[in-house]
Amino acid sequence: MANGPVFDNSKSEATHKGPLGRGNWATHIGFILAATGSAIGLGNIWKFPYITGEYGGGAFVLVYLVCVVIVGLPLMMAELIIGRRAQQNPVGAFQKLHREGSPWQLVGWLGVASGFVILSYYSVVAGWALAYIFKAIAGFQGTAEAIQGEFGELVGSPGQSILYHTIFMAMCIGIVIGGIKRGIERWSKILMPALFAILIGLATYGLVYTEGGGKALAFLFKPDFSKLGAEGVLSALGHAFFTLSLGMGAMITYGSYMKRDSKLVRDAIAVSFLDTVVALVAGIAIFSMVFHFGMEPGQSVGLIFKTLPVLFEQTGPLVSVPFFVLLTFAAVTSGISLLEVVVSYFVDRRGWSRITATLVLGIAIYLLGIFSAVSAWSVPFSGKGFFDLFDDFSTNYMLPIGGLLTCLFIAWVMKDKDRADEFGSRGALYMGLKFFLRYITPVAVLAVILHGLELLPFMEYGN
Ligand code: PFF
């Protein structure tokens, strides 16, 4: 079986180490932990609970689960297939699997650009999580208004926001410089088990020691479709992308360091499953406390940084410190995957050393992030802050467009042999995946994009 490089890329790789020098995951579990680490992040613990709260709970969760299965899982397999087949960064991968200079490389470029933009503001939120570890250690005290007001103070203080953004980016740079085995894999093996242990502890606390457990379960698992609407359905779909790290080549990049002997389909299922379970368990932990203290679940963006600290005043640091440590660990293992996408391009295709690439790009992303950290700065003529603009543009446009094009590439352009070899069979399951990637997934993703542009025919857009 021609499992080796698909074409001779000696020309483009002459100046650097080539596929064999790129590094691989040392162990299978190392890959699983790194990929789940990328998927599990602020999206699971910060975003998922608050959008679930906004769209009324169970019905949103149900639709989200369907989206993970029909869009997330096929795309996760698609990205891993592309990455492992090509053994290249996203830009190189599309060229290698199509042809040198192919226009499909633009999809890879879009991914590199998305990694750059997303990490710049992701690091700012991660910095808040880091800052809250220290606040939790000191203890949340005072009236509910005073505790909630602390968040506004942090966000409104450029000095503090930039300080924590700096620390977070330094951590990501430090890990990625270490390379695949000794940086990303080693740290994922430390941080992910710690994350699982903390999460289980917090969910147990929520279910056993608070009175809100039953209500939280009912809220998350009893569908009430009245608050969902088409808007909720599309948000669920968009979130499935973000939470599984899809649409920007992160899984192409991580897949490119996979050895050929692991079962890719099984791995894609494991990563998607773990990511979903963690979001649900985080939801149980958070909503148990919210209901126990009689608070409202639909608290939007402030759920984690404003509502929870008020509750933490009662529970004390034994609950609050692990919570923000959990959030920070989750953000670190996602941040490093965002940085790795950008770094891998400069290492693979430009011949930069890993150290130079990580430092130069890490610092460039850090500088861009300062625009998001200073909340008072807004984009000229738009009236919008940089943070909102970057978040909105990347999650609503860049990731879905990247995902749609990746889907079209693998379904209609990539050679059947390349695809089937990586999938491992041509049986019914493979035919099913092909069908989804050809007809179902792209249509669903297109709906998200059109909705972002307010162009979906059956929706009413107010203006
Ligand atoms: N999946 C991450 C989260 O849920 O927070 C965010 C993310 C990481 C998105 C890496 C995209 C990516 F490539």
Side-chain angles (χ1 to χ4, degrees):
M1 248 185 355
N3 261 352
V6 179
F7 72 78
D8 173 20
N9 59 346
S10 51
K11 239 190 314 159
S12 59
E13 313 232 335
T15 52
H16 59 89
K17 301 175 215 104
L20 294 177
R22 309 174 68 240
N24 280 116
W25 306 109
T27 58
H28 181 237
I29 187 73
F31 161 72
I32 297 283
L33 290 175
T36 14
S38 169
I40 297 168
L42 297 170
N44 301 59
I45 298 162
W46 171 61
K47 229 173 182 181
F48 175 75
Y50 86 69
I51 41 179
T52 300
E54 274 179 346
Y55 292 110
F60 178 84
V61 174
L62 192 70
V63 175
Y64 163 75
L65 293 178
V66 173
C67 293
V68 167
V69 174
I70 65 168
V71 177
L73 199 53
L75 259 173
M76 173 81 72
M77 289 181 194
E79 288 204 14
L80 292 178
I81 286 175
I82 292 175
R84 191 171 71 175
R85 189 68 179 171
Q87 303 273 301
Q88 278 280 317
N89 68 91
V91 178
F94 284 97
Q95 300 201 57
K96 189 161 175 178
L97 298 178
H98 190 217
R99 60 180 153 75
E100 195 68 14
S102 156
W104 286 98
Q105 68 175 300
L106 289 175
V107 186
W109 273 109
L110 186 66
V112 173
S114 308
F116 203 95
V117 173
I118 295 178
L119 182 54
S120 76
Y121 74 84
Y122 198 84
S123 166
V124 175
V125 184
W128 299 339
L130 200 58
Y132 266 75
I133 296 180
F134 297 106
K135 285 185 186 292
I137 292 172
F140 295 104
Q141 275 150 13
T143 61
E145 286 75 42
I147 294 174
Q148 297 199 343
E150 283 190 35
F151 181 58
E153 274 167 36
L154 173 67
V155 174
S157 146
Q160 283 203 50
S161 281
I162 293 175
L163 170 71
Y164 291 106
H165 163 58
T166 312
I167 302 175
F168 183 79
M169 278 307 298
M171 289 179 358
C172 291
I173 291 172
I175 294 175
V176 171
I177 273 188
I180 303 307
K181 285 192 188 66
R182 283 186 305 149
I184 298 178
E185 180 167 355
R186 189 174 64 173
W187 279 97
S188 301
K189 278 180 168 167
I190 297 170
L191 298 176
M192 293 311 287
L195 180 147
F196 293 132
I198 297 175
L199 190 62
I200 291 170
L202 288 172
T204 312
Y205 170 81
L207 287 175
V208 179
Y209 295 103
T210 75
E211 316 252 290
K215 272 195 183 160
L217 291 176
F219 180 71
L220 285 169
F221 298 109
K222 257 205 198 144
D224 162 14
F225 285 90
S226 66
K227 276 203 193 151
L228 184 68
E231 178 82 37
V233 174
L234 292 161
S235 294
L237 197 50
H239 184 65
F241 256 95
F242 187 80
T243 189
L244 292 172
S245 303
L246 297 172
M248 54 149 285
M251 291 299 159
I252 295 183
T253 309
Y254 274 19
S256 76
Y257 303 122
M258 271 171 114
K259 292 187 187 134
R260 289 240 151 80
D261 52 8
S262 64
K263 292 201 169 57
L264 189 149
V265 174
R266 185 194 55 189
D267 292 353
I269 294 174
V271 174
S272 309
F273 177 78
L274 281 170
D275 181 76
T276 307
V277 169
V278 165
L280 293 173
V281 175
I284 293 173
I286 291 167
F287 288 120
S288 302
M289 289 187 261
V290 168
F291 287 123
H292 177 77
F293 292 102
M295 308 282 282
E296 276 297 308
Q299 293 292 320
S300 184
V301 188
L303 180 65
I304 297 287
F305 294 110
K306 285 164 94 176
T307 310
L308 284 189
V310 175
L311 316 182
F312 289 148
E313 198 235 346
Q314 318 270 326
T315 63
L318 265 183
V319 180
S320 61
V321 175
F323 181 81
F324 289 111
V325 170
L326 168 83
L327 198 57
T328 305
F329 283 5
V332 170
T333 50
S334 298
I336 54 180
S337 72
L338 288 159
L339 184 54
E340 179 60 26
V341 172
V342 184
V343 166
S344 71
Y345 166 74
F346 285 86
V347 172
D348 280 353
R349 306 286 295 187
R350 301 268 162 155
W352 292 20
S353 75
R354 174 166 281 275
I355 296 181
T356 312
T358 314
L359 279 176
V360 171
L361 296 155
I363 291 172
I365 293 170
Y366 164 73
L367 293 175
L368 182 67
I370 291 181
F371 287 89
S372 297
V374 182
S375 63
W377 290 353
S378 59
V379 186
F381 310 115
S382 76
K384 254 192 168 185
F386 283 95
F387 183 100
D388 290 334
L389 185 86
F390 289 163
D391 183 20
D392 184 43
F393 195 67
S394 55
T395 18
N396 296 334
Y397 303 101
M398 294 172 92
L399 294 188
I401 290 173
L404 175 65
L405 294 173
T406 305
C407 193
L408 295 177
F409 177 82
I410 193 167
W412 300 95
V413 179
M414 193 170 165
K415 289 193 204 85
D416 194 51
K417 174 170 174 18
D418 284 351
R419 207 170 41 202
D421 275 357
E422 293 303 325
F423 188 85
S425 85
R426 280 175 202 269
L429 218 59
Y430 175 68
M431 297 319 273
L433 176 70
K434 214 162 99 175
F435 178 79
F436 261 83
L437 288 171
R438 285 200 158 174
Y439 305 105
I440 311 286
T441 315
V443 173
V445 179
L446 193 62
V448 178
I449 298 169
L450 291 177
H451 174 61
L453 295 168
E454 305 203 339
L455 286 176
L456 214 53
F458 54 85
M459 295 281 289
E460 277 180 24
Y461 298 104
N463 53 40

